[in-house]
């Protein structure tokens, strides 16, 4: 079959056809193919990464000097609020759902998600609330500007008194995001429970699937609490109730419980799949089985469980009584144990391996080292006396950016490079990838490492201006931030040009073990269709010489010939 | 899970053990140095809480540095010595795990974090800065300061701390009002923290103490300053447009100087207190009210001592 | 798809993955998640009630319990009716199913009507402090679920008239009746919290 000779019916197909003209148009349709939806999620999320990143550039421009001189303080407050909201709800959650869409069905051998239409609907809610959120820049009074925590009473002050205001749109956007996430979570969990390939018991699932499952379980349990809190906040803002208004007998701290009951676990929702990506990539690029696979897999659910009972550590200084602080100090400390199990397992996997420092592996190792630092500062923040000093300062900002960008962001970049050939059918450019890594790593380190000291010295977070003694750390941080901004250029260049004219990717360019690598690159619409491999061994059998599935050679040949 | 004991392919285990021992020693020495240096990363300690917090911080920095350097060193070592040669497509050692090792590295972190938790709880209870919190009816007009929630072991107070968007007001037991917080050294001072609008944070970095102020509640809070000087008091919980300007100073004085100040202040007439936001808001209005919406700043409180806004602070 | 090497296909047994039957799993997962919203509201209600300096707004003595009790009895019994409707469906007695199903819907509708009557006679509003806010929020949010349940039931009733609709099992009916039991259990907790636990310390 020559590459130009397509059946006209194929060209009308909803899903992209490798090499066919006008493929890009299919990404703008209500497509129910999980792989198309996955790419839709990732592309849209990367667009919002740019938006959130630009907001951050303005913020770091403002913070390069002590006084609030670049933008008005009210504008700064709106910018930092939107930066956080865009990055979390429009970049991180969607992009990880993109990975879930691409990887869960292909890794477990399912043809698609359990509910493809729900899946597509969940995706299309994202651009809708993205527009709602961005529209809030243009309503009178400006966007929400009480931070992504949106703590009342400051968030419900509504200075202009309009019914449609920035905060109103913000709550609406967050609620829509919640609906989309729950639709996604029901879908992912059902798919994992019910649609695994024959022979794939739970302890033969790749760790990414385990972590996605653990993360989505957290969504299902945590997100409704935030939804409840958001509904009450909306009523307080717009309909005259006083759940959180002290004037009517309400309690502002109650909102904080609702908020953190979800928003602390939300960090695990984001970091768990990245732990999964780390586990997948470290094994491939060290050519070794995952050290203590079962421990690593189960640790995901231990994190899920503990993640649900640590939220009050965000409220140590909110008037929380001592007995409650003590309980949450202990639970917060405990979460270091399953996390440590994972970190040590990765180190054990590296040991004696045949390490290949490709771009994805560089991002994984960089992310891993950053995560160890971010984890340690996390433990420090879990001990109440230290938290009471550094809480709500730049130490916290530095800590969570080490987790959210320097770990999760790095893991996401690693994942994009690693699975790029699989889902686009093209190889990326290694040189550009390495430039991207170097710029990002150096920039991110310059950006967030010095801010720890600013915080230790007492610089509060969320300030538009600050005392001159904090200037030195902020200058370095701003330079680092601009470097991270510049790093987007090689990344975009790489993705766009390699997708357009990169070398054709073989089915298994990394010589990796996993069901997704038994599929052609890119996989056909229904993955294995009605000929799903039967799994006969645990994942990551590098060097063990056992086939992963029955008749492995047949599937390898089939993928090559597709 | 098959339990394969990792055996190095080349060299004796003795050599490996020596390397590990040397690396651990080096790691320990380096972390000790970092822990020593870490006290310099904090502002001057100026309250009884500071030494406790600083020691706990130092302990955590030491342990954290040991783990961080150990793990990162290991990654570096693996990257340097376990690299695949170019065109080497073979696999590494097929080690699937080691149950004993995994149990060890589950238990050791467990012990470490429990020790830290114990220390943290111990320090937290020793400080006992936070007293009871009482809700009061804002509309019912009940008195926010009720006697039973005063700190029984206080030496001085209660000082009423009133936070607003965006200024601070301090009212002393003799009725003196000020914009800067004056405190006598070595006296456990009790505060009644209240807010008139949104949540604010009462944060003095030199004291290592921070407490959110919840509107609708009065929180009893106690601090013993231990070092004379002028320190920053910052609003630490985001409170709207001019949040970053909502800061003032704490002046810790000898007991005689404090008494003299209090006496002097009582004779001063009431003048508008420190409120940088008021001026900034005026500037904004004069420039055509550009920017995004904000509530109007509360008018500056009338105080006996408006303080010295530009005086240099130590931390 | 064809392979050119027949040797490889020899003895090959293609595996399969079931394509249907996930709906109930998905629905149960969704219900578990949904219950957390109510849990959040309930715990918020309890916390606000325990800590409020003044719970009842001025001029309000408490809530009338007689009408809500009748409502409760009707709603709870409707769950049993729905159960028997489902039994009829299992026995393929379509008319028995339709009759009892319609009765369930009628009882649900009566409940919503009862709620409407109660709401319209109350001396306080949504903005009457935390008491008013939580009352209307909890009962209103639950009421929305009851209405959703009735709408879903009418959909199932309509589907029972489509030929061969239950050939592949009656997943939809099972799911809706599960939802109805869920709404009932929520109401029982809500009734205890709001109407039975009236005294404040």
């Amino acid at each position: 079959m020559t590459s130009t000779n397509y059946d006209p019916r194929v060209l009308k197909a909803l899903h992209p056809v490798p090499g066919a003209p006008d493929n890009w148009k299919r990404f703008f349709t209500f497509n129910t193919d999980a792989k198309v939806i996955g790419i839709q999620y990732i592309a849209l999320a990367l667009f919002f990464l740019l938006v959130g990143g630009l907001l951050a550039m303005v913020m770091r421009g403002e913070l390069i000097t002590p006084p609030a001189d670049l933008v008005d303080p009210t504008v700064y407050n709106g910018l930092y609020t939107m930066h956080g909201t865009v990055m979390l709800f429009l970049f991180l959650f969607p992009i990880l759902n993109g990975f879930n869409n691409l990887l869960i069905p292909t890794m477990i051998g399912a043809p698609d998600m359990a509910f493809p239409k729900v899946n597509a609907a969940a995706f299309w809610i994202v651009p809708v609330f993205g527009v709602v959120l961005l529209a809030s820049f243009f309503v009178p009074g400006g966007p929400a500007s009480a931070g992504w925590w949106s703590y009342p009473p400051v968030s419900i002050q509504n200075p202009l008194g309009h019914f449609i205001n920035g905060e109103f749109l913000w709550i609406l956007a967050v609620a829509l995001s919640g609906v989309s996430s729950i639709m996604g979570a029901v879908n992912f969990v059902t798919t994992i429970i019910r649609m695994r390939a024959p022979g794939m018991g739970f302890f033969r699932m790749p760790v990414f699937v385990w972590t996605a499952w653990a993360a989505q379980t957290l969504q299902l349990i945590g997100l409704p609490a935030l939804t409840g809190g958001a509904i009450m906040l909306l009523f307080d803002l717009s309909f005259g109730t006083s759940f959180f208004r002290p004037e009517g007998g309400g309690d502002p701290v109650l909102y904080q419980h609702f908020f953190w009951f979800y928003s602390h676990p939300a960090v695990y929702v984001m970091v768990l799949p990245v732990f999964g990506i780390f586990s997948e990539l470290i094994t491939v690029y060290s050519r070794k089985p995952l050290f203590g696979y079962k421990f690593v897999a189960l640790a995901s659910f231990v994190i899920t469980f503990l993640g649900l009972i640590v939220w009050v550590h965000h409220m140590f200084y909110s008037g929380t009584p001592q007995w409650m602080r003590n309980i949450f100090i202990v639970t917060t400390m405990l979460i270091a144990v399953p996390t440590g199990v994972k970190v040590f397992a990765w180190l054990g996997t590296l040991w004696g391996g045949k390490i290949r420092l490709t771009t994805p592996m560089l991002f994984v190792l960089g992310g891993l080292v950053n995560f160890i630092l971010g984890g340690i500062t996390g433990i420090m923040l879990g001990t109440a006396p230290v938290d009471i000093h550094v809480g709500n300062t730049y130490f916290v900002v530095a800590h969570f950016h080490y987790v959210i960008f320097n770990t999760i962001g790095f893991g996401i970049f690693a994942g994009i490079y690693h699975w790029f050939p699989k889902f686009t059918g093209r190889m990326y450019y290694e040189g550009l990838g390495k430039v991207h890594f170097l710029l990002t790593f150096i920039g991110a380190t310059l950006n967030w490492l010095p801010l720890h000291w600013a915080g230790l010295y007492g610089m509060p977070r969320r300030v538009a201006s600050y005392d001159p003694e904090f200037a030195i750390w902020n200058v370095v941080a701003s330079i680092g931030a601009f470097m991270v901004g510049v790093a987007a250029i090689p990344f975009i260049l790489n993705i766009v040009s390699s997708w357009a004219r990169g070398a054709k990717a073989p089915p298994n360019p990394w010589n990796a073990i996993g069901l997704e690598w038994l599929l052609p690159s890119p996989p056909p619409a229904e993955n294995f269709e009605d000929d799903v491999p039967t799994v006969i061994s645990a994942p990551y059998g590098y060097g063990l010489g056992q086939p992963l599935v029955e008749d492995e050679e047949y599937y390898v040949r089939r993928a090559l010939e597709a | 899970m098959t339990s394969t004991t990792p055996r190095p392919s080349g060299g004796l285990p003795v050599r490996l053990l020596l390397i590990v021992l040397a690396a651990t020693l080096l790691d320990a020495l380096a972390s000790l140095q970092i822990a020593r240096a870490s006290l310099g990363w904090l502002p001057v300690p100026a309250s009884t809480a500071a030494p406790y917090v600083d020691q706990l911080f130092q302990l955590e920095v030491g342990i954290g540095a040991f783990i961080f350097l150990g793990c990162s060193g290991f990654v570096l070592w693996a990257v340097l010595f376990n690299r695949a040669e170019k065109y080497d497509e073979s696999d590494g050692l097929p080690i699937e795990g080691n149950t004993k090792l995994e149990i060890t590295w589950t238990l050791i972190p467990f012990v470490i974090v429990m020790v830290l938790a114990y220390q943290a709880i111990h320090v937290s209870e020793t400080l006992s800065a936070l007293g009871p919190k009482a809700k009061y009816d804002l509309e019912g007009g009940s008195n926010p300061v009720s006697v039973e929630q005063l700190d029984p072991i206080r030496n001085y107070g209660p000082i009423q701390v009133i936070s607003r968007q965006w200024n601070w007001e301090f009212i002393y037991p003799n009725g003196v009002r000020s914009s800067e917080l004056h405190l006598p050294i070595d006296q456990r001072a009790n505060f009644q923290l209240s807010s008139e609008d949104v949540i604010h944070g009462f944060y003095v970095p030199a004291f290592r103490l921070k407490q959110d102020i919840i509107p609708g509640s009065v929180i009893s809070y106690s601090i013993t300053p231990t070092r004379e000087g002028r320190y920053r008091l910052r609003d630490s919980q985001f409170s709207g447009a001019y949040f970053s300007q909502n800061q003032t100073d704490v002046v810790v004085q000898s007991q005689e100087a404090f008494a003299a100040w209090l006496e002097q202040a009582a004779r001063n007439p009431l003048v508008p207190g420190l409120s940088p936001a008021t001026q900034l808001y005026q500037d904004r209005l004069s420039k055509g009210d550009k920017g995004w919406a904000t509530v109007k700043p509360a008018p500056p409180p009338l105080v006996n001592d408006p303080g010295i806004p530009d005086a240099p602070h130590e931390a | 798809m064809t392979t050119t090497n027949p040797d490889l296909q020899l003895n090959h047994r293609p595996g399969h993955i079931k394509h249907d039957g996930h709906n109930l799993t998905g629905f149960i997962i969704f219900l578990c998640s949904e219950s957390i919203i109510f849990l959040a509201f309930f715990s918020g209600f309890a916390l606000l009630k325990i800590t409020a300096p003044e719970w009842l707004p001025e001029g309000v003595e408490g809530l009338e319990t007689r009408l809500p009790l009748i409502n409760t009895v009707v709603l709870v019994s409707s769950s049993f009716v729905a159960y028997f409707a489902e039994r009829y469906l299992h026995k393929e007695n379509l008319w028995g199913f339709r009759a009892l199903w319609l009765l369930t819907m009628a009882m649900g509708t009566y409940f919503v009507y009862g709620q409407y009557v109660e709401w319209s006679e109350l001396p306080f509003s949504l903005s009457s402090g935390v008491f008013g806010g939580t009352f209307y929020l909890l009962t209103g949010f639950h009421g929305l679920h009851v209405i959703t349940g009735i709408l879903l039931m009418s959909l199932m009733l309509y589907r029972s008239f489509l030929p061969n609709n239950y050939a592949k099992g009656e997943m939809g009916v099972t799911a809706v009746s599960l939802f109805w039991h869920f709404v009932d259990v929520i109401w029982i907790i809500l009734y205890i919290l709001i109407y039975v636990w009236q005294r404040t310390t």
Side-chain angles (χ1 to χ4, degrees):
Chain A
M1 195 192 282
T2 56
S3 60
T4 48
N5 196 6
Y6 282 100
D7 187 329
R9 280 169 306 172
V10 169
L11 289 179
K12 279 186 189 149
L14 271 174
H15 55 83
V17 183
D22 288 343
N23 260 340
W24 61 274
K25 283 184 186 163
R26 296 178 173 87
F27 288 98
F28 291 86
T29 57
F30 188 86
N31 199 301
T32 55
D33 178 358
K35 287 177 296 297
V36 176
I37 295 172
I39 290 171
Q40 285 175 325
Y41 264 120
I42 292 176
L44 185 70
L46 288 175
F47 166 74
F48 280 110
L49 173 65
L50 279 182
V51 174
L54 281 175
L55 298 176
M57 295 298 108
V58 182
M59 286 161 65
R60 283 313 322 173
E62 160 69 62
L63 291 172
I64 203 164
T65 56
D69 40 14
L70 184 66
V71 292
D72 189 77
T74 52
V75 174
Y76 180 83
N77 296 339
L79 290 179
Y80 91 73
T81 301
M82 295 298 270
H83 164 74
T85 312
V86 166
M87 287 303 198
L88 288 171
F89 294 107
L90 286 162
F91 165 57
L92 285 166
F93 286 129
I95 204 159
L96 291 169
N97 273 354
F99 278 110
N100 287 340
N101 265 292
L102 293 180
L103 297 178
I104 290 174
T106 51
M107 279 181 165
I108 64 175
D112 206 319
M113 287 298 188
F115 313 110
K117 281 184 192 135
V118 175
N119 195 21
F123 166 73
W124 282 103
I125 293 175
V126 180
V128 170
F129 76 78
V131 168
V132 169
L133 196 69
L134 294 187
S136 72
F137 275 116
F138 306 103
V139 296
S145 50
W148 83 280
W149 304 355
S150 207
Y151 273 10
V154 75
S155 60
I156 50 179
Q157 280 191 313
N158 192 8
L160 295 185
H162 294 310
F163 184 78
I164 303 283
N165 54 58
E167 181 69 22
F168 178 86
L169 294 180
W170 185 89
I171 298 175
L172 196 68
V174 169
L176 283 173
S177 157
V179 172
S180 160
S181 292
I182 288 290
M183 286 160 83
V186 169
N187 220 332
F188 298 131
V189 172
T190 312
T191 309
I192 294 170
I193 292 178
R194 302 210 33 136
M195 296 175 73
R196 298 188 311 281
M200 184 178 271
F202 288 132
F203 284 107
R204 281 183 186 163
M205 290 195 309
V207 172
F208 179 83
V209 180
W210 271 97
T211 53
W213 187 12
Q216 296 302 319
T217 308
L218 268 179
Q219 287 281 54
L220 289 167
I221 301 172
L223 197 49
L226 178 75
T227 310
I231 291 173
M232 290 162 90
L233 192 69
L234 182 70
F235 271 79
D236 272 9
L237 175 73
S238 307
F239 304 109
T241 56
S242 44
F243 301 117
F244 309 130
R245 277 184 197 277
E247 295 89 348
D251 189 350
V253 179
L254 177 63
Y255 173 84
Q256 302 181 6
H257 283 287
F258 287 143
F259 181 79
W260 288 117
F261 182 79
Y262 171 64
S263 296
H264 188 79
V267 180
Y268 300 114
V269 173
M270 294 181 284
V271 86
L272 276 168
V274 168
F275 289 168
I277 292 175
F278 283 2
S279 307
E280 299 294 325
L281 268 60
I282 287 177
T283 47
V284 176
Y285 296 112
S286 307
R287 313 295 317 159
K288 275 187 64 190
L290 185 61
F291 198 98
Y293 161 74
K294 280 188 185 172
F295 275 72
V296 175
L298 286 175
S300 314
F301 273 92
V302 179
I303 292 176
T304 298
F305 171 71
L306 289 174
L308 286 166
I309 50 170
V310 299
W311 78 94
V312 176
H313 68 224
H314 291 271
M315 302 164 60
F316 279 150
Y317 38 78
S318 300
T320 308
Q322 188 59 46
W323 61 268
M324 206 194 260
R325 283 184 193 169
N326 294 349
I327 293 172
F328 284 90
I329 289 173
V330 173
T331 54
T332 306
M333 292 291 108
L334 279 179
I335 216 159
V337 176
T339 318
V341 165
K342 292 200 175 218
V343 171
F344 294 134
W346 297 325
L347 297 182
T349 310
L350 288 172
W351 192 81
K354 300 257 179 169
I355 297 172
R356 281 186 283 172
L357 288 184
T358 57
T359 305
M361 187 58 164
L362 284 173
F363 270 108
V364 166
L365 294 178
L368 176 57
V369 169
N370 286 336
F371 176 67
I372 297 168
L373 183 60
I376 288 166
T377 52
I379 292 173
M380 295 167 83
L381 287 165
T383 52
V386 172
D387 180 66
I388 282 174
H389 174 53
V390 295
N392 266 346
T393 70
Y394 260 84
F395 189 82
V396 178
V397 176
H399 155 73
F400 76 72
H401 279 96
Y402 253 86
V403 176
I404 279 198
F405 184 81
N406 291 8
T407 304
I408 300 175
F410 274 48
I412 286 169
F413 286 133
I416 289 177
Y417 284 113
H418 180 69
W419 281 289
F420 187 84
K422 171 55 50 192
F423 292 100
T424 63
R426 303 284 178 158
M427 299 303 286
Y428 65 88
Y429 299 113
E430 197 61 57
L432 274 176
K434 284 186 173 137
V435 171
H436 175 214
F437 168 75
L438 270 181
L439 278 174
T440 312
F441 188 80
I442 297 170
T445 306
L446 284 179
N447 190 351
W448 287 299
L449 196 61
L451 292 178
H452 287 100
W453 282 278
L456 286 172
Y457 214 68
M459 178 177 171
R461 66 191 289 194
R462 304 183 156 167
V463 289
S465 61
Y466 52 85
D467 284 331
E469 63 256 35
F470 304 119
I472 176 72
W473 294 301
N474 280 284
V475 170
V476 180
S478 290
I479 293 169
F482 299 144
M483 251 177 109
V484 175
V486 169
I489 297 170
F491 176 63
I492 296 171
L493 212 63
N494 201 349
I495 294 299
V496 173
S497 60
S498 32
W499 202 347
R501 54 184 66 200
K504 270 200 177 312
N508 191 357
W510 316 127
N511 198 9
I513 297 176
L515 287 188
E516 80 268 35
W517 302 107
L518 294 176
L519 287 161
S521 301
E526 294 267 288
N527 296 340
F528 291 103
E529 291 161 336
D530 262 342
D531 188 352
V532 184
T534 302
V535 179
I536 51 171
S537 38
Y540 318 117
Y542 297 100
L544 291 172
Q546 311 155 340
L548 177 68
V549 299
E550 269 177 24
D551 304 328
E552 187 159 290
E553 223 179 312
Y554 159 79
Y555 287 101
V556 170
R557 180 69 60 89
R558 194 173 79 150
L560 276 172
E561 285 168 359
Chain B
M1 192 176 304
T2 57
S3 157
T4 323
T5 320
R7 266 182 219 294
S9 44
L12 290 160
V14 180
R15 214 181 109 207
L16 184 78
L17 273 175
L18 278 176
I19 293 174
V20 170
L21 204 71
T24 314
L25 209 68
L26 209 67
D27 187 3
L29 280 174
S31 348
L32 210 64
Q33 281 306 312
I34 293 173
R36 283 221 184 100
S38 68
L39 286 187
W41 305 342
L42 297 161
V44 287
S47 81
T48 48
Y52 290 104
V53 175
D54 294 4
Q55 269 170 29
L56 182 62
F57 175 71
Q58 198 175 24
L59 175 72
E60 290 174 357
V61 168
I63 296 174
F66 184 79
I67 295 170
F68 179 74
L69 292 178
C71 294
S72 314
F74 185 90
V75 171
L76 197 69
W77 181 83
V79 165
L80 289 178
F81 299 109
N82 286 331
R83 282 279 286 283
E85 301 284 317
K86 212 169 185 186
Y87 309 117
D88 178 3
E89 294 287 315
S90 66
D91 293 326
L93 297 171
I95 305 161
E96 286 188 274
N98 180 324
T99 312
K100 271 186 208 149
L101 197 58
E102 281 151 47
I103 290 172
T104 313
W105 70 37
T106 311
L107 282 180
I108 290 178
F110 177 77
V111 172
I112 292 176
V113 295
M114 282 304 106
V115 169
L116 284 180
Y118 174 80
Q119 276 296 318
I121 291 171
H122 178 69
V123 169
S124 208
E125 292 193 329
T126 312
L127 300 185
S128 70
L130 179 65
K133 168 183 164 195
K135 267 193 183 181
Y136 65 101
D137 192 353
L138 279 174
E139 281 163 343
S142 61
N143 185 4
V145 182
S146 56
V147 181
E148 67 271 337
Q149 50 155 348
L150 291 179
D151 179 1
I153 54 164
R154 73 184 188 281
N155 303 114
Y156 185 75
I159 301 174
Q160 282 193 55
V161 176
I162 301 168
S163 52
R164 302 188 185 89
Q165 287 172 315
W166 293 271
N167 58 56
W168 296 88
E169 184 181 359
F170 307 98
I171 308 176
Y172 302 82
N174 70 341
V176 163
R177 291 155 187 264
S178 72
S179 279
E180 283 173 351
L181 176 60
H182 285 250
L183 291 176
I185 193 168
D186 294 330
Q187 302 281 301
R188 186 173 165 94
N190 179 240
F191 304 97
Q192 303 286 311
L193 307 174
S194 65
S195 162
E196 290 190 353
D197 33 54
V198 299
I199 302 177
H200 295 275
F202 178 86
Y203 176 35
V204 186
F207 291 168
R208 313 285 190 275
L209 289 174
K210 170 187 288 121
Q211 175 57 46
D212 278 8
I213 309 177
I214 314 292
S217 297
V218 173
I219 294 169
S220 169
Y221 203 71
S222 301
I223 287 174
T224 314
T226 53
R227 187 177 178 281
E228 285 181 40
R230 182 177 271 270
Y231 314 105
R232 271 287 195 230
L233 186 162
R234 296 193 175 93
D235 187 353
S236 59
Q237 186 63 278
F238 181 72
S239 59
Y242 297 103
F243 161 65
S244 61
Q245 294 291 333
N246 197 17
Q247 49 185 11
T248 180
D249 284 348
V250 182
V251 183
V252 180
Q253 294 166 304
S254 68
Q255 291 171 32
E256 302 78 45
F258 175 74
W261 171 80
L262 207 58
E263 207 176 310
Q264 173 62 38
R267 287 196 292 267
N268 287 351
L270 289 173
V271 291
L274 185 67
S275 180
T278 312
Q279 184 56 46
L280 288 167
Y281 187 68
Q282 285 305 323
D283 292 349
R284 173 185 156 123
L285 289 184
S286 66
K287 282 184 208 154
D289 203 11
K290 290 204 184 81
W292 288 328
T294 168
V295 292
K296 278 201 192 75
L302 292 176
V303 294
N304 301 93
D305 183 356
I308 316 159
D310 297 325
H313 53 264
E314 283 185 67
Chain C
M1 205 165 298
T2 52
T3 40
T4 43
N5 188 344
D7 294 348
L8 282 173
Q9 248 184 336
L10 214 66
N11 299 329
H12 173 68
R13 293 177 292 121
H16 296 286
I17 286 175
K18 278 211 297 184
H19 285 249
D20 52 0
H22 318 309
N23 295 18
L24 199 60
T25 315
F27 192 75
I28 290 170
I29 292 171
F30 170 74
L31 271 192
C32 292
S33 184
E34 185 79 354
S35 65
I36 309 271
I37 296 194
F38 282 103
L39 200 70
F41 284 156
F42 291 158
S43 49
F45 174 84
L47 208 90
L48 286 170
K49 183 160 180 177
I50 290 167
T51 59
E54 290 287 331
W55 176 242
L56 294 173
E58 269 177 68
V60 179
E61 293 298 312
L63 289 163
E64 152 73 27
T65 53
R66 209 175 50 89
L67 184 69
L69 188 64
I70 297 170
N71 247 345
T72 306
V73 171
V74 171
L75 191 68
V76 173
S77 350
S78 76
S79 242
F80 292 95
V81 181
Y83 169 75
F84 284 109
E86 228 186 316
R87 291 262 303 252
Y88 272 122
L89 191 62
H90 277 301
K91 290 180 201 150
E92 291 174 20
N93 180 344
L94 266 185
W95 280 108
F97 162 72
R98 285 171 191 143
L100 288 186
W101 200 241
L102 202 65
L103 182 61
T104 317
M105 286 168 64
M107 290 164 92
T109 313
Y110 174 82
F111 175 85
V112 175
Y113 171 73
Q115 283 287 92
Y116 166 75
V117 171
E118 196 201 350
W119 274 28
S120 56
E121 287 169 0
L122 288 174
F124 56 88
S125 74
L126 185 68
S127 51
S128 306
V130 191
F131 173 81
T134 47
F135 176 83
Y136 284 103
L137 180 77
L138 261 65
T139 52
F141 196 64
H142 176 264
L144 274 181
H145 279 76
V146 178
I147 293 170
T148 310
I150 296 169
L151 289 178
L152 288 175
M153 281 196 275
S154 40
L155 193 71
M156 291 305 127
L157 192 66
Y158 163 74
R159 274 179 50 178
S160 77
F161 289 98
L162 299 180
N164 287 330
N165 185 45
Y166 293 119
K168 281 184 183 171
E170 51 275 344
M171 199 299 296
V173 173
T174 315
V176 172
S177 105
L178 207 63
F179 182 75
W180 196 250
H181 299 321
F182 166 77
V183 168
D184 259 20
V185 172
I186 293 292
W187 176 257
I188 293 172
I189 303 170
L190 202 154
Y191 183 81
I192 292 170
L193 273 179
I194 291 188
Y195 294 96
V196 180
W197 177 37
Q198 293 228 25
R199 274 188 315 138
T200 50
T201 43

